[in-house]
Amino acid sequence: MAEIEREAMEYDVVIVGAGPAGLSAAIRLKQLDADLNVVVLEKGSEVGAHILSGAVLDPCGLDALIPDWKEKGAPLTVPVKEDNFYMLGEAGQIRIPNFPMPPLMNNHGNYIVSMGNVCRWMAEQAEELGVEIFPGMACSELVYGDNGEVKGVVAGVFGLEQDGSYGPNTEPGMELHGKYVFLSEGVRGSLAKEVIAKYDLQAGKEPQKFGVGMKEIWEVDPAKHKEGTVTHTMGWPLGSNAGGGSFIYHLDNNQVYVGFVVHLNYKNPHLFPYMEFQRFKHHPVVADLLKGGKRVAYGARAITEGGYQSMPKMVAPGVALLGCSVGMVNVPRIKGNHNAMLSGKAAAEAAFDAIKADRSGDELSDYEVEVRTGPIGSDLKKVRNVKPIWSKWGLTASLMLGGLDMWTNTLGFSLFGTVKHGKNDADATGKASDYQPIDYPKPDGILSFDRLTNVSFAATNHEESQPCHLRLADPNLPINVNLPQFDEPAQRYCPAGVYEVVEKDGKPEFVVNFQNCVHCKTCDIKDPSQNITWVTPQGGDGPNYPNM
């Protein structure tokens, strides 16, 4: 790659990712100093195209960043009016009363939103302040300085040959250099993963934990629509097979977000998260809502679940990790966007102070201190034990002991200290011979759908002539190791049907249909052999979520 010549552009701060964290950082930088040169690079075809979220938004991050967001027309128009919690059985449900729950679980004052639309609005605010935003510009490489610091990124490489080499029609892209680089790529971003490994930022921390979240938008019968209603469920159909649960949010215009989360530390490799989601919609409490309606969109995305004890060191020379690149989701609240915004604001303030002091390329240690000791750390520390208690002792223990721990943490102490997570999600996968296969009912095409049909509702698109962005370290390993030991779980854990085992000339063959990929990153996380690496495809490719 050394022989490739690229033009370079110089900025004060280069931001990768136009999600809530990256846009908050850009806005805050320009609020502090209108003369700072700030650029945001977004791999989606437009801002918001790759945003998938629940989403109930705690507006505290927006309050801190843009206090007059209501006057500026932010798309927060559906306040939460009602909270429901259910424990599901196969044919019925038990309502969990709200009063014993810790105050932090209350959604009063929060809003049901499309985070895609929120990010589009935030991008408008940033551009009005003079931020440069370039969508369709995937960042494929980091640029390092003479002292080992991160000094920029390579963006806008197009037209690679199928084997990844440069050909006669390849556009080599540009280098964008900054005094500081912010990585706000979302969960399991490829550049953040490289930085964490290169600078050993996970040392001394618990392994990061993840879930896979799948969501459909439905238009339902107006008679069944209850704008502002938030419902969460646990229990069936997952039972003891895996941790997880669902969310059902009633937005406006008779739209409902129906989502399902499966924790990726499940042991049974026969588990099929996507089919658990489809089966869930046949529960009477869900089916009654959806009957007569229609699904209008689908998407999937990994979710960080490790929380307080799994956050890596967030800074290295010249670079800072923001939002879900660190892992700032409050798991019991199923909320992370507010913390992403606060992290962007904190990183911007640390970079502003450093640039004002004529520094560059060093570690923004003030940012790390603010995250761990400020509102983000306080939010995550109170709930740090809920996920590991659930993983170690099950759902009932999580409800009782996790609930107790949240209450005591609200009062300033914990009976459990800080519970460790243990294994990463890949290592948690058990051998196929130790578990029974699970028989899933066939989708009916009315309430439940096969994966490929649903993927078409994600409007995902990848140029077929480009290199596959799902890299196998050993192409033989899926058939030689994963198939006999784990029944090749990639066939099931992927919510987009990317991976198949087919028979060719009487022998099994592993097929990667990368065109189906919705960029959830589950394969990069859950593959038991850690053989798959997700790298960014060329800019603009991937899903195009219209209102998610």
Side-chain angles (χ1 to χ4, degrees):
M1 299 294 290
E3 73 278 6
I4 297 169
E5 294 185 4
R6 297 187 176 97
E7 294 183 13
M9 297 180 67
E10 303 293 330
Y11 290 89
D12 290 305
V13 180
V14 175
I15 301 172
V16 180
L23 290 170
S24 294
I27 289 168
R28 186 59 180 152
L29 283 163
K30 296 295 277 188
Q31 287 174 338
L32 291 167
D33 185 351
D35 293 328
L36 288 174
N37 293 317
V38 181
V39 64
V40 179
L41 304 166
E42 165 57 37
K43 66 181 172 66
S45 59
E46 64 170 331
V47 173
H50 289 180
I51 297 292
L52 180 76
S53 176
V56 172
L57 178 65
D58 181 337
C60 66
L62 210 51
D63 289 339
L65 183 70
I66 308 175
D68 58 346
W69 53 265
K70 288 185 180 180
E71 291 77 10
K72 290 181 179 293
L76 282 69
T77 58
V78 182
V80 175
K81 299 175 183 176
E82 181 181 351
D83 259 331
N84 299 309
F85 296 88
Y86 291 104
M87 179 68 71
L88 299 186
E90 187 168 358
Q93 68 276 348
I94 298 173
R95 171 78 183 269
I96 302 172
N98 294 55
F99 69 84
M101 295 187 180
L104 63 88
M105 295 295 290
N106 189 341
N107 273 311
H108 177 73
N110 297 332
Y111 293 81
I112 302 173
V113 300
S114 160
M115 279 309 298
N117 288 342
V118 171
C119 287
R120 292 179 183 103
W121 175 83
M122 291 179 70
E124 292 173 1
Q125 308 309 304
E127 288 179 324
E128 287 179 7
L129 293 169
V131 175
E132 296 181 37
I133 301 178
F134 298 139
M137 289 284 280
C139 298
S140 53
E141 298 176 46
L142 292 167
V143 179
Y144 295 96
D146 294 337
N147 298 315
E149 79 280 10
V150 175
K151 78 170 195 177
V153 297
V154 175
V157 177
F158 289 92
L160 292 172
E161 301 292 296
Q162 281 200 325
D163 63 0
S165 64
Y166 280 61
N169 297 316
T170 300
E171 298 178 25
M174 299 183 63
E175 290 189 7
L176 296 98
H177 299 164
K179 295 172 182 174
Y180 296 98
V181 174
F182 291 171
L183 300 181
S184 51
E185 301 170 286
V187 178
R188 198 74 164 193
S190 53
L191 300 185
K193 184 180 175 182
E194 178 181 332
V195 164
I196 291 170
K198 178 178 176 64
Y199 298 102
D200 198 19
L201 302 186
Q202 202 69 42
K205 313 295 182 185
E206 284 292 293
Q208 187 58 266
K209 306 294 285 184
F210 299 90
V212 56
M214 298 154 285
K215 186 179 77 173
E216 295 169 358
I217 297 180
W218 280 71
E219 291 179 359
V220 300
D221 182 344
K224 301 176 182 179
H225 185 254
K226 298 179 180 179
E227 183 176 306
T229 297
V230 168
T231 299
H232 292 101
T233 78
M234 295 171 287
W236 189 87
L238 290 173
S240 60
N241 283 326
S246 82
F247 56 85
I248 303 173
Y249 302 152
H250 290 245
L251 198 63
D252 51 5
N253 299 319
N254 300 316
Q255 287 195 334
V256 176
Y257 295 153
V258 182
F260 199 79
V261 177
V262 178
H263 300 169
L264 287 176
N265 62 349
Y266 62 82
K267 297 178 181 178
N268 185 348
H270 301 294
L271 188 83
F272 198 157
Y274 175 84
M275 290 306 297
E276 296 286 351
F277 175 31
Q278 299 307 303
R279 182 161 62 163
F280 156 76
K281 289 183 292 177
H282 286 272
H283 190 279
V285 75
V286 188
D288 288 346
L289 170 66
L290 301 183
K291 282 178 180 175
K294 64 176 181 178
R295 161 216 48 185
V296 296
Y298 167 74
R301 187 59 46 90
I303 303 167
T304 54
E305 296 185 339
Y308 185 80
Q309 56 269 59
S310 295
M311 292 192 298
K313 184 180 177 183
M314 300 161 214
V315 294
V319 66
L321 309 182
L322 277 56
C324 279
S325 292
V326 175
M328 298 182 179
V329 171
N330 183 313
V331 172
R333 296 183 75 200
I334 320 181
K335 291 179 181 64
N337 289 307
H338 63 300
N339 285 334
M341 292 178 183
L342 291 171
S343 75
K345 179 175 179 289
E349 290 168 352
F352 167 74
D353 288 341
I355 293 169
K356 188 177 178 181
D358 203 27
R359 291 162 41 204
S360 66
D362 60 347
E363 294 190 358
L364 294 173
S365 55
D366 288 351
Y367 164 61
E368 175 116 13
V369 171
E370 171 60 23
V371 169
R372 295 193 184 276
T373 63
I376 299 171
S378 176
D379 182 55
L380 296 179
K381 194 170 184 180
K382 292 174 185 176
V383 302
R384 67 190 182 278
N385 291 327
V386 174
K387 176 64 164 67
I389 287 174
W390 192 339
S391 299
K392 291 175 183 290
W393 300 308
L395 175 58
T396 302
S398 176
L399 287 172
M400 298 178 65
L401 300 179
L404 174 64
D405 192 59
M406 284 191 286
W407 265 113
T408 60
N409 270 286
T410 300
L411 302 173
F413 69 96
S414 172
L415 298 173
F416 303 98
T418 298
V419 182
K420 295 184 176 181
H421 289 296
K423 297 178 180 178
N424 66 36
D425 293 331
D427 290 341
T429 311
K431 298 294 178 65
S433 59
D434 294 334
Y435 296 90
Q436 290 296 317
I438 302 172
D439 184 23
Y440 290 100
K442 184 178 179 180
D444 66 359
I446 301 171
L447 295 179
S448 51
F449 313 96
D450 65 82
R451 276 186 298 186
L452 294 186
T453 298
N454 241 355
V455 167
S456 70
F457 282 78
T460 194
N461 178 67
H462 295 85
E463 175 57 52
E464 293 190 16
S465 63
Q466 71 176 288
C468 176
H469 64 281
L470 303 162
R471 308 282 176 80
L472 303 181
D474 181 351
N476 299 311
L477 193 148
I479 298 302
N480 294 343
V481 176
N482 279 2
L483 186 60
Q485 293 191 21
F486 306 102
D487 193 25
E488 187 42 271
Q491 303 174 87
R492 293 174 294 281
Y493 61 58
C494 173
V498 169
Y499 303 100
E500 292 181 280
V501 175
V502 301
E503 186 173 309
K504 185 176 181 180
D505 299 329
K507 297 180 179 179
E509 180 177 303
F510 190 64
V511 177
V512 181
N513 304 301
F514 75 88
Q515 299 88 348
N516 294 351
C517 181
V518 295
H519 297 195
C520 73
K521 320 287 181 62
T522 301
C523 56
D524 195 297
I525 297 161
K526 185 58 178 174
D527 182 69
S529 300
Q530 289 291 270
N531 189 47
I532 303 173
T533 298
W534 187 98
V535 300
T536 185
Q538 67 184 22
D541 282 6
N544 284 277
Y545 299 130
N547 191 33
M548 302 183 82

